[in-house]
Amino acid sequence: PPVKSLLILSTANRNALLPTTVSRCQTVALRDTARKFDFGDAPELFAVLESLCLPASPDIAEAEAGAEALIAIFGRIKENAAAAVEARYAGRLEALKAMDDTALTKRLMEQIADDSAGEYRLMRGRYIEAIQAYCGELYMMSRGVPAADLPFPGIVGQVAGMTVPPECGDRMLREADILAKAMRTSAMDELILRAFAFAVVIG
């Protein structure tokens, strides 16, 4: 491989690897692989999804209000990612100010920019996964699965005590899959979110 290449070897069974391979690797144990919805606006996102699933009146105004709310939450992801990374690097930045080292400061700022981009991609992925998970929960409820038996029972809010019609569950799951595929392959996020809201509310 070229100089400065980074190779990632992933295994569920470290003992299956040759000792010579393991000796040349830096081990990173990933114990908790459960899906987490810990980005700051997750509760607000779930509330918006609830209003879209059970609109007061299934009309264009309701769909537009839901679309605007989804877009506003999505729009805050980039600034939330930057703020999270800046908080992680705050101590280092303060130490560099005292050192007055321009080259080191420039390198750290490049690293912060790279980490901010990575954090944004992570939060963006969690946003998409949160929509899919919520719609998946509704689909399961529409098929008679009790709210207590859902994989993420805390995210469905007030819907947990209601009967979800099968057509609602089908529509939510179908539209969430369309949204996830579109957002992973297109840069027109706002248009995709708007289409999702209208498809869910109006059908």
Side-chain angles (χ1 to χ4, degrees):
V3 177
K4 295 191 176 182
S5 293
L6 175 66
L7 303 176
I8 298 175
L9 172 63
S10 175
T11 182
N13 183 5
R14 184 178 177 197
N15 296 326
L17 300 174
L18 293 171
T20 53
T21 304
V22 174
S23 70
R24 289 168 174 78
C25 294
Q26 177 183 354
T27 303
V28 179
L30 304 174
R31 300 191 194 313
D32 186 6
T33 57
R35 194 180 293 184
K36 293 181 181 173
F37 309 113
D38 55 359
F39 58 96
D41 295 321
E44 185 182 347
L45 174 61
F46 296 134
V48 171
L49 291 170
E50 183 175 312
S51 70
L52 288 171
C53 171
L54 302 168
S57 57
D59 59 20
I60 292 175
E62 192 79 26
E64 179 60 24
E68 288 299 322
L70 287 174
I71 291 165
I73 295 167
F74 184 79
R76 291 194 294 270
I77 291 175
K78 190 168 275 189
E79 62 192 53
N80 290 346
V85 171
E86 283 176 23
R88 283 200 298 261
Y89 281 91
R92 289 190 208 173
L93 284 169
E94 283 300 315
L96 273 178
K97 284 181 187 174
M99 292 171 59
D100 195 30
D101 185 332
T102 309
L104 197 55
T105 302
K106 181 182 175 188
R107 208 164 97 207
L108 184 63
M109 294 310 290
E110 289 170 356
Q111 187 175 354
I112 290 172
D114 288 346
D115 284 1
S116 294
E119 187 73 17
Y120 169 73
R121 284 191 299 275
L122 181 67
M123 287 187 176
R124 186 180 188 276
R126 286 180 184 162
Y127 177 91
I128 296 167
E129 287 175 356
I131 293 174
Q132 285 186 292
Y134 185 91
C135 295
E137 303 281 273
L138 290 185
Y139 176 81
M140 286 188 273
M141 288 176 63
S142 74
R143 296 306 186 261
V145 176
D149 294 340
L150 296 172
F152 311 106
I155 69 173
V156 291
Q158 295 178 10
V159 181
M162 301 180 181
T163 300
V164 178
E167 61 274 8
C168 175
D170 291 343
R171 186 174 64 250
M172 293 292 282
L173 188 63
R174 180 182 65 246
E175 296 304 329
D177 284 344
I178 292 169
L179 174 137
K181 287 175 189 165
M183 287 188 79
R184 288 189 176 111
T185 58
S186 173
M188 298 184 296
D189 298 323
E190 189 173 318
L191 181 63
I192 294 165
L193 290 167
R194 197 173 298 281
F196 169 79
F198 276 80
V200 165
V201 172
I202 297 171

